[in-house]
Amino acid sequence: MLIRYKKSFEKIAMGLLSFMPDEKDVRKLTHTIKEYETNPDWQLFLWKEEELLGAIGVRIDDENKVVIQHITVNPSYRNQGVGKKMIDAIYTQYSQDYVICANENTEGFVKKCNEVGL
Ligand SMILES: CC(C)(COP(=O)(O)OP(=O)(O)OC[C@H]1O[C@@H](n2cnc3c(N)ncnc32)[C@H](O)[C@@H]1OP(=O)(O)O)[C@@H](O)C(=O)NCCC(=O)NCCS
């Protein structure tokens, strides 16, 4: 289940986001999480099963576009479909009103999900 980020999830969210190749630098990561906390166009969600297993973050663009900018799963739970479930949940949430796309940091996985219909 996709749940909206809140401040009490900060540590786990930062841990998950740090698996993104472009979020290895702590200052960059801190800036990213602050942006999700303060910018209404940046929306971060966590994937909850028994525990919080993954995170997916989007930015709402001016042109009615939603850009998937972060997607990450706890390494212990990878290759079990969690990433694909998060992408599906974002499509369910936004596709009626927005065109959904990836950026250069997420396009590998987003393309794979679209191509093979994982
Ligand atoms: C990308 C990520 C979120 C996928 O999560 P997941 O829960 O393991 O994904 P799923 O189980 O739904 O799908 C697994 C499939 O995606 C593929 N995959 C994983 N990472 C991928 C990538 N960067 N690009 C393309 N395909 C990828 C796997 O090889 C696997 O394919 P297979 O079924 O043909 O073996 C996870 O690997 C992760 O957190 N990676 C580190 C963060 C990151 O690099 N994010 C950006 C990715 S572009």
Side-chain angles (χ1 to χ4, degrees):
M1 175 178 62
L2 208 58
I3 56 172
R4 208 169 266 278
Y5 171 82
K6 53 185 176 186
K7 186 75 178 169
S8 58
F9 297 146
E10 185 177 29
K11 283 204 174 72
I12 180 113
M14 284 181 77
L16 287 164
L17 288 173
S18 72
F19 295 121
M20 292 291 304
D22 67 323
E23 299 288 350
K24 298 295 175 201
D25 177 75
V26 177
R27 276 170 305 176
K28 168 91 186 333
L29 184 56
T30 306
H31 181 265
T32 296
I33 203 89
K34 284 279 166 290
E35 197 72 17
Y36 278 121
E37 285 173 359
T38 56
N39 184 339
D41 291 335
W42 282 48
Q43 299 185 4
L44 183 62
F45 301 89
L46 296 166
W47 185 260
K48 186 167 194 243
E49 290 184 13
E50 321 75 51
E51 356 172 355
L52 295 168
L53 305 183
I56 186 164
V58 302
R59 177 172 52 80
I60 297 173
D61 204 275
D62 287 344
E63 314 145 26
N64 290 348
K65 196 165 79 178
V66 162
V67 181
I68 300 172
Q69 17 183 48
H70 295 98
I71 179 158
T72 161
V73 170
N74 176 327
S76 307
Y77 294 89
R78 288 189 191 161
N79 295 307
Q80 297 173 36
V82 173
K84 169 65 174 144
K85 281 192 266 185
M86 289 198 292
I87 300 276
D88 283 349
I90 287 295
Y91 272 79
T92 302
Q93 179 140 338
Y94 291 105
S95 63
Q96 272 198 324
D97 302 314
Y98 297 95
V99 172
I100 297 167
C101 58
N103 71 5
E104 67 278 11
N105 300 318
T106 58
E107 64 183 353
F109 184 67
V110 173
K111 261 191 198 157
K112 162 120 193 169
C113 288
N114 289 337
E115 276 165 18
V116 301
L118 268 178

